[in-house]
Amino acid sequence: MTKLDSKIPAGPIDRKWTDHKGHIRVVAPANKRRIDVIVVGTGLAGGAAAASLAELGYNVKAFCFQDSARRAHSIAAQGGINAAKNYQNDGDSVYRLFYDTVKGGDYRAREANVYRLAEVSANIIDQCVAQGVPFARDYGGLLDNRSFGGVQVSRTFYARGQTGQQLLLGAYSALMRQVGKGAVQMFDRHEMLDVVVVDGKARGIIARNLITGEIERHGAHAVLLCTGGYGNVFFLSTNAMGSNVTAAWKAHKRGAFFGNPCYTQIHPTCIPVSGTHQSKLTLMSESLRNDGRIWVPKKLEDARAIQEGRKNGKDIPEEDRDYYLERRYPAFGNLVPRDVASRAAKERCDAGFGVNKTGEAVFLDFSSAFERYGKVEANVRKIENPSPEEILRLGKEVVAAKYGNLFDMYENIAGENPYERPMKIYPAVHYTMGGLWVDYNLQTTVPGLFALGEANFSDHGANRLGASALMQGLADGYFVIPYTVGDYLADDIRTGPIKTDTPEFDAAEKEVTDRIAHFLNNQGTKPVDDFHRRLGKVMWNKCGMARNAQGLQEAIAEIRQIREEFWKDVRVPGKADELNQELEKAGRVADFLELGELMCLDALTRNESCGGHFREEYQTPEGEALRDDEHYAFTSAWEWTGDAGAANLHKEPLVFEEVKLTQRSYK
């Protein structure tokens, strides 16, 4: 049986990473040319890793299912990237970023990994500036910062409302430089469908060319999975339509333990669901909570009038507005962590105070910001006695400069002008803190198989703070894996090229082709989306923002039923040797149908509430999450046994030496 070994270095926490780098093995430059590395996924983690490893001299193959690495879902992280540079001189530090991240994750993250993340964060900004990322700057020319949820300092670097896109372009330019040099072979429009394990080590992948349908074998001395999260198990989420769990799930079925699968982040700032026609949801950046105030009417009759279309937000006078986050959490106000803000919105809407037709929306209002910024701008322009109209106009100009593309996006989708009426938002599935279990070196329980970025579980505990996803992806790709993968590959300098004409590759390819043949020959009656939508409804209702034992047990039974029907009755048109997006979706939904059951099982076995995992049976009288540190201060690491419902649970105890375990409070 595989034994969990987190490989956390000894010594003081602020020396662990430095000492570890100084003592792990390295591969000499001449020997790097003998070693092949596969990188699956080319977002921030994958693009940074592929570029860095190629720059070091390794032979790299990079795979993405998009038509270009520039289309990775990292572009959707709009609001910013955290780093402990203390440019605002407001008391930030590496330790404070570390502390905020551990606390924000509700004390369910590994301290050593989180400290390393905070430690290398400043290097990330320097790297990206050198690449030409156009971060916003203040009047004096320094990089500007803003605040995100769960913190009381300004440490988030940003490029208007398109930070992820700009950072990805930086990583993409570094990657394509290596492609141009021949150090990276780029395989776009390829999807990894299995990982190949030889003598207990990951030695390659099976991939499908999505244009021609050709099944390909690729060997390597190590495989890095940088394939993002699995939020699309809920069908409706803020993730790109193609985001999936297939690569990670195939690795899980080959022996990689899955960590904390039930930890799902619900983002509080999304455009509400408008009808059953939707196939995804749109995220409004958390950066908007810097200046937007969240509220609902104080009076039920006002809420009903808004729901029925007889009133709108501007008709409700100030004294009749309930700024419920500011009321409940005065110390952090609208910038409480995402899980806290999401549950608070759900509570108000469940009580009947929602502000759209379905009653599932709250207001995000910028009217106060317009007035505040307008007065400042009038002073800057030396305008004496400006009229209220002039102040409003000037304030809107300032807000447009900071968030204009987000406001435009909202108007295009919602059909309302957010400069004239408050935005309507509601929580939606966004990020998954769970993922493949990895040790301190980012290696899974399968030697030679590494997981980076959102594909692993390591840095966020039970809830990710805003602007930390970009930070983790780039930290893993640029500043962690180049060191740690070398420690593993030092044993392979005399191995020689990995052959793909072996029984292990034969067996893995046969499994892939048999599965494809089943889908195409099944002759069922229902499309893939029918099963995916049914799964998503079960997951949202019974394993979403709130869970309870009865609902989770019901969900497991329902998922099994959907899965049984799926394999019998799914209909996949087209052929295997062509572009066939229904075939792609069928494979991904098949994996979601197994993952969903494991998520419910994980949630059922964790009898506490923490972060994004809110069990209704375990809450304080005020409705806050109630942890059980005595029994559940561990990472769940699930081992595949052939049946998602019969997975074997391993536990990695979480030891807190630097941060005292306390119940979170943002009041």
Side-chain angles (χ1 to χ4, degrees):
M1 177 184 293
T2 304
K3 183 179 180 182
L4 290 176
D5 180 5
S6 59
K7 295 185 173 65
I8 298 173
I13 197 165
D14 60 348
R15 292 292 308 170
K16 287 183 187 293
W17 179 232
T18 300
D19 291 346
H20 187 60
K21 288 188 295 182
H23 291 88
I24 57 177
R25 297 176 298 172
V26 297
V27 179
N31 289 328
K32 289 186 175 81
R33 294 194 290 268
R34 303 178 180 181
I35 293 176
D36 303 319
V37 178
I38 285 174
V39 178
V40 185
T42 55
L44 286 184
S52 299
L53 295 177
E55 182 73 34
L56 288 172
Y58 295 104
N59 306 307
V60 179
K61 291 183 177 181
F63 294 79
C64 70
F65 63 72
Q66 297 95 344
D67 60 351
S68 167
R70 289 176 299 174
R71 299 195 188 279
H73 189 54
S74 300
I75 66 168
Q78 306 156 321
I81 176 171
N82 289 332
K85 276 187 170 290
N86 195 32
Y87 279 174
Q88 303 297 314
N89 200 28
D90 57 359
D92 200 11
S93 65
V94 168
Y95 184 86
R96 191 176 294 277
L97 174 53
F98 157 70
Y99 173 82
D100 287 343
T101 305
V102 171
K103 178 183 176 182
D106 217 352
Y107 305 92
R108 289 295 176 262
R110 188 191 287 156
E111 275 194 342
N113 286 66
V114 178
Y115 194 92
R116 176 175 64 188
L117 178 66
E119 189 177 354
V120 304
S121 65
N123 297 338
I124 298 170
I125 304 303
D126 296 339
Q127 171 86 2
C128 295
V129 169
Q131 290 175 336
V133 174
F135 287 119
R137 294 181 179 268
D138 64 17
Y139 181 76
L142 287 177
L143 300 184
D144 200 9
N145 292 118
R146 55 192 180 199
S147 293
F148 263 55
V151 305
Q152 292 179 305
V153 296
S154 294
R155 66 162 66 101
T156 303
F157 296 79
Y158 64 97
R160 293 192 71 190
Q162 48 187 251
T163 313
Q165 180 176 356
Q166 297 300 331
L167 290 171
L168 184 62
L169 288 172
Y172 174 76
S173 65
L175 173 62
M176 295 312 292
R177 176 172 177 266
Q178 299 302 323
V179 171
K181 293 170 61 178
V184 174
Q185 281 185 272
M186 189 72 219
F187 294 85
D188 47 29
R189 300 301 284 154
H190 279 68
E191 182 169 23
M192 175 193 140
L193 295 180
D194 211 345
V195 62
V196 181
V197 178
V198 180
D199 295 330
K201 297 181 178 181
R203 290 303 198 190
I205 66 171
I206 304 296
R208 179 173 181 265
N209 182 321
L210 298 180
I211 302 296
T212 67
E214 181 182 358
I215 304 300
E216 302 175 2
R217 304 179 182 190
H218 296 273
H221 299 90
V223 176
L224 278 54
L225 300 185
C226 313
T227 50
Y230 49 87
N232 275 351
V233 68
F234 290 85
F235 187 69
L236 286 179
S237 82
T238 66
N239 289 193
M241 292 292 290
S243 298
N244 63 85
V245 77
T246 290
W249 194 250
K250 298 305 184 189
H252 175 54
K253 296 175 83 167
R254 293 293 182 188
F257 291 1
F258 212 102
N260 298 331
C262 79
Y263 287 165
T264 305
Q265 181 166 84
I266 313 296
H267 198 294
T269 318
C270 299
I271 297 178
V273 176
S274 61
T276 57
H277 63 284
Q278 280 184 266
S279 54
K280 79 174 300 294
L281 297 174
T282 302
L283 168 69
M284 298 306 296
S285 170
E286 183 174 327
S287 61
L288 295 173
R289 288 201 278 151
N290 269 285
D291 291 310
R293 300 177 71 191
I294 296 171
W295 64 274
V296 293
K298 287 181 179 179
K299 300 176 182 177
L300 272 174
E301 56 264 33
D302 285 339
R304 292 196 184 101
I306 292 173
Q307 292 164 16
E308 295 167 5
R310 294 183 284 110
K311 287 186 177 181
N312 62 57
K314 295 187 72 172
D315 296 329
I316 308 302
E318 186 70 20
E319 63 271 17
D320 289 335
R321 301 180 179 188
D322 178 15
Y323 296 95
Y324 58 88
L325 291 177
E326 299 171 35
R327 169 173 56 83
R328 291 177 60 175
Y329 309 102
F332 284 75
N334 295 296
L335 287 175
V336 292
R338 291 173 176 178
D339 60 318
V340 177
S342 295
R343 284 195 298 274
K346 182 178 186 296
E347 184 275 328
R348 287 291 79 195
C349 291
D350 288 350
F353 293 93
V355 296
N356 67 352
K357 290 181 180 179
T358 66
E360 293 185 326
V362 298
F363 286 129
L364 178 62
D365 193 337
F366 279 79
S367 55
S368 296
F370 296 151
E371 183 177 355
R372 183 176 70 253
Y373 283 128
K375 289 179 179 178
V376 172
E377 189 66 13
N379 288 331
V380 169
R381 298 188 187 188
K382 303 292 191 262
I383 300 174
E384 295 185 9
N385 300 316
S387 66
E389 293 77 17
E390 195 164 16
I391 289 173
L392 187 62
R393 179 182 62 80
L394 292 171
K396 288 179 179 179
E397 288 179 3
V398 174
V399 169
K402 296 181 71 173
Y403 310 110
N405 60 318
L406 299 174
F407 276 55
D408 293 343
M409 183 173 69
Y410 179 88
E411 184 171 10
N412 288 334
I413 294 171
E416 288 187 348
N417 184 346
Y419 293 101
E420 303 301 328
R421 290 188 177 188
M423 291 184 185
K424 295 173 185 175
I425 57 169
Y426 193 70
V429 171
H430 179 52
Y431 188 93
T432 49
M433 286 73 67
L436 294 176
W437 184 92
V438 294
D439 62 19
Y440 190 74
N441 293 328
L442 305 185
Q443 186 169 222
T444 71
T445 47
V446 176
L449 182 64
F450 296 78
L452 285 65
E454 193 179 357
N456 73 35
F457 87 102
S458 67
D459 290 7
H460 306 298
N463 173 62
R464 178 177 68 79
L465 291 182
S468 287
L470 300 179
M471 177 174 61
Q472 187 206 350
L474 290 176
D476 287 355
Y478 281 137
F479 298 107
V480 178
I481 201 67
Y483 292 96
T484 61
V485 78
D487 185 49
Y488 170 79
L489 291 171
D491 290 329
D492 274 317
I493 60 175
R494 300 190 185 280
T495 300
I498 301 301
K499 297 179 180 179
T500 60
D501 56 346
T502 64
E504 293 85 357
F505 276 89
D506 291 343
E509 182 176 327
K510 185 176 186 305
E511 286 189 33
V512 168
T513 54
D514 286 351
R515 182 171 162 123
I516 290 172
H518 172 86
F519 288 139
L520 294 174
N521 298 328
N522 197 46
Q523 299 302 310
T525 63
K526 296 177 181 176
V528 176
D529 279 349
D530 184 73
F531 296 97
H532 195 180
R533 189 176 287 107
R534 287 170 60 192
L535 170 66
K537 188 174 182 180
V538 171
M539 293 299 296
W540 177 250
N541 289 336
K542 297 179 179 178
C543 194
M545 261 197 286
R547 304 104 183 255
N548 59 60
Q550 179 181 342
L552 290 166
Q553 290 165 347
E554 293 171 355
I556 289 171
E558 291 171 25
I559 291 169
R560 288 175 179 168
Q561 179 63 34
I562 296 169
R563 187 166 67 233
E564 183 179 343
E565 292 180 32
F566 171 83
W567 285 104
K568 289 180 179 178
D569 202 26
V570 69
R571 180 175 181 83
V572 179
K575 301 176 183 178
D577 58 352
E578 64 182 7
L579 176 65
N580 189 337
Q581 292 186 312
E582 284 299 301
L583 178 59
E584 296 170 34
K585 285 197 294 184
R588 296 167 186 171
V589 171
D591 296 326
F592 280 141
L593 284 164
E594 292 178 336
L595 168 69
E597 184 173 352
L598 182 63
M599 291 172 67
C600 293
L601 178 63
D602 188 40
L604 187 60
T605 58
R606 187 171 284 276
N607 294 323
E608 65 165 354
S609 291
C610 57
H613 167 66
F614 190 78
R615 282 282 296 272
E616 293 173 337
E617 306 97 319
Y618 307 101
Q619 56 181 298
T620 67
E622 294 81 24
E624 306 294 345
L626 185 61
R627 292 196 328 269
D628 181 352
D629 295 329
E630 181 181 354
H631 299 103
Y632 295 98
F634 62 79
T635 292
S636 301
W638 293 91
E639 179 184 15
W640 177 259
T641 62
D643 179 358
N648 187 24
L649 174 61
H650 300 256
K651 300 176 182 179
E652 178 198 345
L654 294 172
V655 179
F656 293 90
E657 298 175 338
E658 303 296 325
V659 179
K660 182 181 178 182
L661 279 168
T662 59
Q663 290 294 330
R664 278 192 312 173
S665 174
Y666 292 94
K667 295 182 181 298

